[in-house]
């Protein structure tokens, strides 16, 4: 069966409509429990307890590198053989650990992260949490962020979806809400507070007030949600949170592209204005000014080609922005694509491709890394956005790479941070130029021990 | 359940993967959920590996939970066997697959029929063994498999004395440098290297292990099971002394001479002269500890913690060769507690065997040593307590995979250890002096803002925003924002101005 040839033909056939493909799902990504690393920092009075095995602990310890040593507010409840074979009571074990956490750290909320193991041995985390919460008087929520069901950033989605149930009920007659000129707006997605501040300011310029964020930086300050509250997501991987807000709390979701890149930010602000019937002011000019600033980067990027291997669900938004910058995107790999939650983003991708007049890249859901490497070898893109597992081997074969995880941790949202995205994207290209310029004998073509494809 | 922030020895499958991916042309398939393939990231990052790590996952997802792996594992094995043209595929269970209790052995049997590669199932239990034990077992399992397979082949011993070095493999602490140093040492003794196991070894070469006169197991943690097996199977003796420090390297060489003389009594080999000459010329450590500078280290308190090999070795060096007072020596290799106890008996005030980092943290805090020799975890404990730490054992970070030649074993190793010990202590002394004299006198000047009399006013939200900027760049952000405000003719700095300044500067 010549699967590779088939795939190659597809990837070289230009299309004018969105084209979705699904492969074997054999790809590298971070385990979704990695979300504790940024969420414990975001929610300052929380404690995250990952209920899993040594494998989970080893991953967190290695993936988060230095971060782990700054007295983290997270820990592993390491399951031992007696837990697996049900020789001890899960309830008593968890009670012992949570009392210890309460005593040592006194958090406002304990978040239990369910893992593959708790799924397989079917520990009733939700049931035990409810019972313990009443007994030890610390709010305890459960998020099943496991590798059986989710990839990397989707971990945050499971935590936020669980937090939705703890948000206080919105009250129409609240003095704060009666003063608003528009229905209350709650944004969801965990962002560094300065980035959140920038997005709030952007909306403020349109006369829109942000009533709250999910998550807020303290558990005690969760936003009020309920019927009549409008919600908008800031990241493409939050589909479960969106669903929970709509179905469980009767909020109205504003479908929009995500505020990544000036084009995305503009569309995001515009869609929120439209939802409130507010006529936007000065958005065109604002976007234009940012593009002017980006021009020096774009000038170097035009005509360059990028291949996104896919591991963090930011891929569609990033590709859309890069295409707008004049880059040719060969393939958008993505772990999981919620076509409803990302509908506006997909539509903007399509429009952007038509506008720039380039074929729409193929979107590959659940990609197969082995096949992708074969396609990369064939296409030789100027840049591959990929996880670390492939980065050094590709660099050794003369393919420039950018580590995809950096896009998750860098500040990439809003008008002000568009430049940072391009800084990330152009860094490997600039590095290679610098090295080649000063040392022709060791240029990418000839540096010692360069690997051949085989 | 155990509350844990840090772990010392990784999970079992990591050990199996480290061994499997060290062999040439061996592919490992993990039976694991998405994201458990983090091994590939570690290897690619820490070893700066140029090749794709030969490890893939047969993904366990909801479908597998519901219906079992069925054809999936077999298909993945045959697919990889064809794509990679691998000599051997090692199927690796994980913590997840351990509790699924699928009959992986049956899948392996079926895949063996359909694929051109050899296929074996790593015989490790996630809940009973750790990374090191699993590596030790997997190595023996692979060696045994190929020796059994090639029963009809038989090799003569090499004409000159030769040796197999067992236990050099990927992600080992300074393994590549150590291997080179041992080779150099053996070359000096006129002993040839037969094979190095498993790093870079092709499985087809495994039967040729028989050609060696004896085996060397430099690290306690991995290789002993294999060496024992080879001794039983082919009557190959082995040396399991770790040549850490001048004294133990001397004993290591002496053991080798005993073995060689036993095999061929007529040779009457004596390496004493060589060992002495090396200890005086290649190694500076002996002279170093006699030198005047080193007097200051006499009786200084140190805590040692690490894997059994390194913690024992370094404890012996510190006490017997440098004169440091090791107030506590410990290891996280709880399965090897007896051996460790014997090694450091009489050389330390307290022996600690635990894999709970809080215990070590507490002991360090209580004993207040002048320096710590431990893993990256102790390094960070030391940072918090302001005690310098030299890293002597895994778990390690990328800085412990140096590009330069830094062995821990053999005579060059003694130099490296001496430097490490000395640097840890002098840094401690420097810190101490700085404290006495009130720190570096330049501190004030560097942090003094140039914008004190600018007439600019910071609004509350501006100040709040500034507080959110990480401390180490806050001064720069403040200066840039004020410069921007002055240029724009603004008197009050609000959060908005900070963002605008960032935008303006971000070109």
């Amino acid at each position: 069966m010549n699967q590779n040839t088939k795939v190659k033909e597809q990837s070289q056939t230009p299309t004018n409509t969105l084209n979705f493909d699904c492969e074997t799902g054999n790809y590298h990504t971070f385990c979704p429990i990695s979300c504790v690393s940024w969420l414990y920092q975001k929610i300052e009075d929380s404690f995250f307890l990952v209920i899993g095995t040594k494998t989970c602990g080893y991953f967190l310890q290695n993936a988060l590198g230095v971060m782990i040593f700054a007295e983290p507010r997270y820990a592993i409840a390491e399951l031992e053989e007696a837990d697996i074979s049900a020789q001890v009571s899960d309830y008593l074990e968890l009670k012992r650990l949570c009392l210890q956490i309460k005593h040592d750290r006194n958090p406002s909320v304990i978040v239990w992260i369910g893992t593959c193991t708790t799924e397989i041995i079917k520990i009733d985390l939700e049931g035990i949490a409810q019972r313990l919460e009443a007994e030890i008087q610390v709010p305890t929520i459960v998020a099943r962020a496991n590798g059986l069901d989710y990839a990397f950033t989707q971990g945050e989605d499971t935590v936020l979806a669980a937090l939705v149930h703890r948000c206080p009920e919105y009250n129409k007659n609240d003095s704060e809400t009666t003063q608003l000129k528009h229905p209350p707006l709650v944004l969801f997605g965990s962002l560094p507070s300065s980035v959140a501040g920038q997005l709030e300011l952007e909306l403020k310029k349109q006369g829109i007030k942000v009533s709250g964020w999910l998550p807020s930086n303290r558990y005690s300050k969760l936003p009020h949600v309920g019927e009549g509250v409008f919600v908008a997501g800031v990241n493409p991987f939050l589909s479960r949170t969106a669903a929970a807000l709509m179905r469980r709390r009767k909020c109205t979701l504003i479908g929009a592209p995500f505020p990544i890149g000036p084009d995305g930010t503009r569309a995001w602000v515009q869609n929120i204005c439209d939802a409130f019937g507010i006529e936007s002011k000065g958005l065109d000019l604002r976007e234009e000014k940012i593009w002017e600033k980006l021009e020096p980067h774009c000038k170097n990027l035009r005509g360059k080609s990028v291949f996104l291997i896919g591991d963090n669900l930011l891929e569609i938004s990033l590709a859309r922005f890069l295409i707008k910058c004049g880059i040719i995107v060969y393939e958008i790999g993505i772990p999981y694509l919620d076509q409803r939650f990302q509908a506006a983003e997909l539509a903007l991708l399509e429009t952007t491709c038509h506008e720039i007049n380039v074929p729409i890249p193929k979107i590959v859901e659940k990609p197969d890394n082995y096949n992708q490497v074969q396609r990369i070898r064939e296409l030789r893109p100027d840049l591959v956005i990929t996880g670390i597992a492939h980065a050094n081997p590709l660099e050794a074969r003369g393919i420039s790479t950018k580590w995809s995880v950096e896009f998750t941790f860098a500040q990439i949202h809003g008008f002000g941070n568009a430049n940072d995205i391009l800084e990330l994207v152009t860094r490997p290209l600039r590095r290679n130029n610098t090295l080649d310029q000063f040392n022709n004998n060791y240029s990418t073509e000839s540096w010692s021990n360069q690997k051949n494809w085989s | 359940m155990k509350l844990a922030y840090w772990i010392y020895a990784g999970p079992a499958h990591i050990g199996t993967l480290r061994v499997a991916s060290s062999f040439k042309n061996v592919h490992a398939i993990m039976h694991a959920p998405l994201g458990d393939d983090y091994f590939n990231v570690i290897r690619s990052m820490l070893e700066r590996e140029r090749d794709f790590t030969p490890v893939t996952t047969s993904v366990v997802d909801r479908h597998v939970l519901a219906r079992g792996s069925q054809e999936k594992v077999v298909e993945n094995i045959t697919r990889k066997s064809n794509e990679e043209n691998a000599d051997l595929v090692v199927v690796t269970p994980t913590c997840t697959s351990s509790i699924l209790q699928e009959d992986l052995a049956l899948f392996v049997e079926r895949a063996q029929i359909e694929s051109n590669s050899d296929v074996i199932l790593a015989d490790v239990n996630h809940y009973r063994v750790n990374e090191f034990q699993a590596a030790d077992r997997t190595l023996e399992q692979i060696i045994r498999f190929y020796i059994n397979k090639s029963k009809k082949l038989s090799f003569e011993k090499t004409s000159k004395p030769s040796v197999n070095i067992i236990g050099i493999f990927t992600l080992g602490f300074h393994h590549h440098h150590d291997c080179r140093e041992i080779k150099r040492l053996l070359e000096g003794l006129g002993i040839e290297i037969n094979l190095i196991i498993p790093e870079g070894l092709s499985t087809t070469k495994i039967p040729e292990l028989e050609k060696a006169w004896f085996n060397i197991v430099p690290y306690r943690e991995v290789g002993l099971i294999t060496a024992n097996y080879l001794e039983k199977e082919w009557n190959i003796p082995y040396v399991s002394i770790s040549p850490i420090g001048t004294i133990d390297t001397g004993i290591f060489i002496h053991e080798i001479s005993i073995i060689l003389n036993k095999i061929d009594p007529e040779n009457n080999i004596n390496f004493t002269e060589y060992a002495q000459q090396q200890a005086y010329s290649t190694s500076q450590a002996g002279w170093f500890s006699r030198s005047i500078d080193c007097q200051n280290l006499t009786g200084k308190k140190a805590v040692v913690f690490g894997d059994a090999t390194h913690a024992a070795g370094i404890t012996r060096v510190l006490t017997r060769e440098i004169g440091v007072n090791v107030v506590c020596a410990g290891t996280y290799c709880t399965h090897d507690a007896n051996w460790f106890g014997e090694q450091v008996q009489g050389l330390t005030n307290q022996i600690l065997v635990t894999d709970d980092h809080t215990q070590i943290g507490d002991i360090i805090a209580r004993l207040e040593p002048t320096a710590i020799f431990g893993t990256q975890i102790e390094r960070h404990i030391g940072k918090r307590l302001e005690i310098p730490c030299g890293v002597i054992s895994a778990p390690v970070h990328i800085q412990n995979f140096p590009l330069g030649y830094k062995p821990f074993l053999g005579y060059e190793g003694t130099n490296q250890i001496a430097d490490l010990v000395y640097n840890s202590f002098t840094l401690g002394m420097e810190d101490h002096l700085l404290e006495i004299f009130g720190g570096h006198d330049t501190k004030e000047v560097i942090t003094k803002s140039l914008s004190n009399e600018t007439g600019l006013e910071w609004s509350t939200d501006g100040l709040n925003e500034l507080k959110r900027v990480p401390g180490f760049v806050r001064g720069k952000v403040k200066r840039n924002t004020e410069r921007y405000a002055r240029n724009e003719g603004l008197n009050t700095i609000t959060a908005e101005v900070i963002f605008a300044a960032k935008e303006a500067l971000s070109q």
Side-chain angles (χ1 to χ4, degrees):
Chain A
M1 169 68 199
N2 206 338
Q3 200 180 4
N4 294 340
T5 336
K6 194 185 90 192
V7 170
K8 199 170 72 196
E9 276 167 14
Q10 277 180 2
S11 67
Q12 286 170 347
T13 316
T15 49
N16 285 316
T17 49
L18 289 169
N19 185 355
F20 304 101
D21 204 349
C22 186
E23 282 188 302
T24 61
N26 208 322
Y27 62 99
H28 293 282
T29 183
F30 273 18
C31 174
I33 61 172
S34 53
C35 69
V36 306
S37 68
W38 64 87
L39 287 175
Y40 92 83
Q41 292 186 336
K42 177 72 195 176
I43 310 171
E44 291 160 9
D45 51 355
S46 63
F47 191 97
F48 284 79
L49 183 66
V50 179
I51 303 161
T53 60
K54 198 174 258 188
T55 305
C56 312
Y58 190 74
F59 163 70
L60 279 182
Q61 171 168 322
N62 283 289
L64 307 178
V66 182
M67 247 195 276
I68 193 160
F69 296 106
E71 290 273 327
R73 274 176 285 106
Y74 66 80
I76 298 275
E78 192 186 321
L79 298 164
E80 293 169 301
E81 198 163 13
D83 300 298
I84 303 302
S85 48
Q87 287 161 19
V88 290
S89 148
D90 300 327
Y91 159 74
L92 287 176
E93 291 293 297
L94 284 165
K95 182 173 178 178
R96 182 170 58 80
L97 299 193
C98 288
L99 278 172
Q100 192 183 333
I101 291 165
K102 186 187 177 185
H103 174 261
D104 295 345
R105 305 298 185 93
N106 195 26
S108 309
V109 60
I110 299 178
V111 184
W112 289 358
I113 302 288
T115 61
C116 304
T117 311
T118 57
E119 287 297 311
I120 295 172
I121 62 175
K122 297 191 168 59
I123 300 185
D124 176 21
L125 292 179
E126 282 85 356
I128 300 174
Q130 204 177 9
R131 196 170 151 198
L132 269 185
E133 175 168 326
E135 279 179 48
I136 66 176
Q137 294 293 313
V138 180
T140 305
I141 67 166
V142 178
R144 302 173 172 218
N146 62 69
L148 295 168
D149 300 306
Y150 306 109
F152 195 13
T153 50
Q154 288 181 286
E156 173 180 323
D157 195 22
T158 63
V159 174
L160 298 193
L163 277 172
V164 165
H165 301 274
R166 299 304 179 102
C167 292
E169 187 59 36
Y170 156 71
N171 177 1
K172 255 201 291 247
N173 305 319
D174 193 300
S175 65
E176 213 173 298
T177 43
T178 45
Q179 284 169 13
L180 285 176
K181 296 190 181 72
H182 55 81
L185 172 68
V186 168
L187 301 178
F188 58 97
S190 167
L191 293 180
S193 37
S194 96
V195 179
Q198 290 171 49
L199 287 179
E200 277 183 40
L201 244 153
E202 220 56 71
L203 290 170
K204 196 174 150 199
K205 286 179 187 161
Q206 305 298 335
I208 296 169
K209 186 175 184 303
V210 176
S211 300
W213 281 84
L214 180 70
S216 43
N217 45 15
R218 298 191 77 80
Y219 176 73
S220 46
K221 289 200 295 194
L222 282 178
H224 293 252
V225 297
E227 198 163 356
V229 173
F230 281 63
V231 292
V234 298
N235 267 322
F237 44 78
L238 298 170
S239 51
R240 289 172 69 86
T241 310
L245 284 165
M246 286 192 294
R247 293 189 196 140
R248 302 280 170 178
R249 306 305 297 267
K250 307 283 175 239
C251 298
T252 310
L253 177 72
I254 303 174
F258 300 97
I260 294 167
D263 47 341
T265 310
R266 179 225 153 97
W268 183 75
V269 176
Q270 185 66 55
N271 282 29
I272 293 174
C273 289
D274 291 350
F276 292 146
I278 293 172
E279 201 169 319
S280 65
K281 311 179 283 265
L283 268 180
D284 283 340
L285 194 64
R286 182 97 174 92
E287 189 191 347
E288 209 176 292
K289 280 264 186 274
I290 298 291
W291 281 115
E292 273 170 30
K293 281 222 184 102
L294 299 180
E295 184 52 27
H297 273 318
C298 292
K299 209 165 64 193
N300 296 328
L301 284 172
R302 259 173 224 127
K304 291 266 192 304
S305 53
V306 167
F307 189 110
L308 292 101
I309 283 205
D311 71 348
N312 59 15
L313 282 90
L314 294 171
E315 292 86 3
I316 306 277
S317 311
L318 277 178
R320 177 259 303 151
F321 169 51
L322 295 181
I323 290 168
K324 183 90 176 179
C325 294
I327 286 172
I328 298 157
V329 175
Y330 284 149
E331 174 168 329
I332 309 175
I334 185 167
Y336 166 75
L337 180 61
D338 184 331
Q339 292 198 30
R340 275 185 301 177
F341 184 60
Q342 295 227 40
E345 185 61 86
L346 288 167
L348 183 58
L349 171 70
E350 200 172 357
T351 330
T352 306
C353 289
H354 289 321
E355 187 191 317
I356 307 281
N357 199 17
V358 289
I360 297 173
K362 190 179 56 168
I363 297 169
V364 182
E365 209 180 344
K366 298 175 93 187
D368 184 298
N369 280 168
Y370 180 85
N371 294 342
Q372 285 184 312
V373 168
Q374 304 311 312
R375 296 198 286 269
I376 288 168
R377 183 183 172 178
E378 208 62 52
L379 297 162
R380 297 203 75 93
D382 294 308
L383 184 72
V384 174
I385 297 179
T386 178
I388 282 279
H390 290 107
N392 275 337
L394 285 172
E395 290 280 353
R397 285 159 183 77
I399 303 272
S400 296
T401 59
K402 183 74 223 158
W403 188 19
S404 53
V405 172
E406 288 188 50
F407 292 101
T408 323
F409 294 121
Q411 308 196 343
I412 62 169
H413 293 78
F415 286 121
N417 292 314
N419 194 61
D420 294 26
I421 305 177
L422 292 188
E423 285 284 326
L424 285 179
V425 171
T426 55
R427 192 172 299 149
L429 306 172
R430 280 180 285 137
R431 192 266 314 262
N432 290 349
N433 284 343
T434 318
L435 298 186
D436 294 349
Q437 186 187 342
F438 291 110
N439 211 335
N440 283 323
N441 294 334
Y442 296 98
S443 70
T444 34
E445 293 308 316
S446 67
W447 45 262
S448 63
N449 296 336
Q450 179 166 1
K451 283 283 175 180
N452 287 320
W453 297 91
S454 67
Chain B
M1 281 181 210
K2 199 165 81 178
L3 193 64
Y5 297 88
W6 303 333
I7 46 175
Y8 284 98
H13 70 268
I14 297 288
T16 298
L17 295 179
R18 281 176 62 190
V19 165
S21 61
S22 295
F23 280 103
K24 203 153 114 194
N25 220 14
V26 170
H27 199 96
I29 293 188
M30 298 167 68
H31 190 238
L34 201 64
D36 271 3
D37 53 8
Y38 191 68
F39 173 76
N40 298 44
V41 176
I42 300 179
R43 185 158 185 267
S44 177
M45 183 106 173
L46 300 188
E47 294 268 27
R48 303 174 186 91
E49 184 54 60
R50 290 169 212 241
D51 272 322
F52 293 98
T53 300
V55 174
T56 40
T57 313
S58 178
V59 179
V60 174
D61 55 15
R62 278 286 157 191
H63 295 288
V64 171
L65 280 198
R67 305 176 305 138
S69 290
Q70 297 188 348
E71 300 302 312
K72 203 170 171 181
V73 180
V74 179
E75 273 168 20
N76 281 328
I77 296 170
T78 41
R79 180 188 158 186
K80 272 298 142 192
S81 151
N82 293 335
E83 279 171 0
E84 308 285 335
N85 215 355
D87 296 330
L88 168 69
V89 175
V90 179
V91 179
T92 313
T94 58
C95 58
T96 309
S97 63
S98 289
I99 42 179
L100 280 178
Q101 301 194 327
E102 283 198 88
D103 194 350
L104 287 178
L106 181 72
F107 294 148
V108 163
E109 222 169 274
R110 280 183 40 211
Q112 181 66 85
I113 300 165
E114 289 175 34
S115 83
N116 300 322
S117 314
D118 295 316
V119 188
I120 61 175
L121 173 66
D123 182 20
V124 292
N125 179 334
H126 180 92
Y127 295 93
R128 305 246 165 110
V129 296
N130 67 22
E131 177 182 356
F132 298 119
Q133 294 163 296
D136 208 2
R137 282 164 195 228
T138 304
L139 182 58
E140 191 255 8
Q141 198 187 349
I142 294 174
I143 301 291
R144 184 191 288 263
F145 177 83
Y146 279 100
I147 287 175
N148 285 340
K149 203 180 162 193
S150 66
K151 267 290 189 258
K152 45 201 179 300
L153 293 174
S154 184
F155 290 92
E156 294 280 311
K157 296 277 175 225
T158 53
S159 51
K160 276 192 180 168
S162 68
V163 67
N164 302 313
I165 304 176
I166 304 176
I168 306 287
F169 65 136
T170 192
L171 291 169
F173 182 69
H174 293 243
H175 272 203
H176 293 136
H177 309 296
D178 284 349
C179 185
R180 209 171 118 195
E181 182 61 19
I182 294 175
K183 277 195 217 165
R184 197 195 62 81
L185 187 72
L186 292 169
E187 198 184 313
L189 300 174
I191 298 168
E192 288 173 352
I193 310 292
N194 183 42
L195 292 173
I196 290 165
I197 318 165
E199 187 64 48
L201 183 71
S202 164
T203 52
T204 52
K205 298 275 247 182
I206 288 176
E208 292 180 36
L209 285 170
E210 196 182 355
K211 293 202 292 197
W213 289 31
F214 67 107
N215 291 321
I216 286 176
V217 186
Y219 310 106
R220 180 85 197 148
E221 284 71 26
V222 177
L224 278 180
I225 305 185
T226 307
N228 275 318
Y229 167 71
L230 291 174
E231 185 172 47
K232 231 164 65 191
E233 188 71 20
W234 284 332
N235 202 20
I236 305 179
Y238 65 89
V239 177
S240 64
I241 306 254
S242 305
I244 297 179
T246 320
I247 298 175
D248 281 351
T249 304
I251 299 174
F252 169 80
I253 291 174
H254 181 64
E255 288 264 327
I256 292 175
S257 68
I258 293 176
I259 282 181
L260 291 181
N261 285 332
K262 212 181 269 172
I263 294 172
D264 186 1
E266 281 170 29
N267 256 345
N268 199 14
I269 282 169
N270 188 344
F271 291 137
T272 317
E273 201 181 316
Y274 174 81
Q276 274 175 357
Q277 182 254 331
Q278 286 291 304
Y280 290 125
S281 60
T282 305
S283 171
Q284 301 296 313
W287 162 238
F288 172 78
S289 44
R290 304 270 160 191
S291 71
I292 197 74
D293 220 16
C294 235
Q295 274 182 11
N296 284 338
L297 299 185
T298 309
K300 281 252 154 51
K301 286 201 290 184
V303 168
V304 180
F305 194 81
D307 63 28
T309 302
H310 289 90
I314 296 293
T315 302
R316 291 155 72 86
V317 171
L318 286 173
T319 50
R320 302 187 302 175
E321 300 183 29
I322 302 180
V324 167
N325 175 16
V326 176
V327 284
C328 176
T331 180
Y332 55 82
C333 292
T334 49
H335 59 280
D336 213 8
N338 291 343
W339 178 85
F340 183 77
E342 282 166 24
Q343 293 296 303
V344 299
Q345 189 69 51
L347 300 176
T348 176
N349 309 0
Q350 187 182 354
I351 296 172
L352 175 71
V353 178
T354 179
D355 55 3
D356 177 359
H357 68 89
T358 52
Q359 266 197 49
I360 303 136
D362 289 346
I363 283 187
I364 292 174
R366 189 157 50 77
L367 295 174
E368 290 185 52
T370 321
I372 310 166
F373 297 93
T375 70
Q376 279 290 341
I377 295 172
E378 282 69 46
R379 192 172 75 84
H380 286 275
I381 293 173
K383 252 192 200 167
R384 210 167 56 212
L385 301 170
E386 296 183 335
I387 300 170
C389 176
V391 176
I392 54 137
S393 157
V396 286
H397 283 171
I398 193 159
Q399 67 261 41
N400 304 111
F401 288 84
L403 301 179
Y405 186 48
K406 293 216 156 47
F408 264 68
L409 304 186
Y411 290 107
E412 179 53 32
T414 62
N415 293 333
Q416 298 295 336
I417 294 170
D419 277 344
L420 181 78
V421 170
Y422 183 69
N423 289 339
S424 303
F425 280 108
T426 36
L427 285 179
M429 180 58 80
E430 197 173 72
D431 257 5
H432 183 61
L433 288 175
L434 283 173
E435 201 168 287
I436 291 172
F437 294 114
H440 288 287
D441 60 355
T442 51
K443 213 183 237 168
E444 201 62 23
V445 180
I446 289 169
T447 51
K448 192 170 176 184
S449 161
L450 296 170
S451 54
N452 275 347
E453 292 95 15
T454 51
L456 289 169
E457 199 183 17
W458 283 78
S459 73
T460 322
D461 70 328
L463 277 177
N464 283 340
E465 194 52 46
L466 188 64
K467 273 186 209 147
R468 286 175 182 165
V469 177
F472 62 95
V473 286
R474 198 178 292 145
K476 192 174 160 197
V477 170
K478 185 166 182 257
R479 282 193 295 280
N480 286 341
T481 309
E482 289 176 345
R483 192 186 314 135
Y484 172 83
R486 270 194 300 278
N487 287 344
E488 298 289 311
L490 300 167
N491 292 326
T492 313
I493 298 177
T494 59
E496 200 166 346
V497 177
I498 299 185
F499 298 140
K502 185 186 178 236
E503 259 176 42
L505 284 166
S506 66
Q507 262 209 46

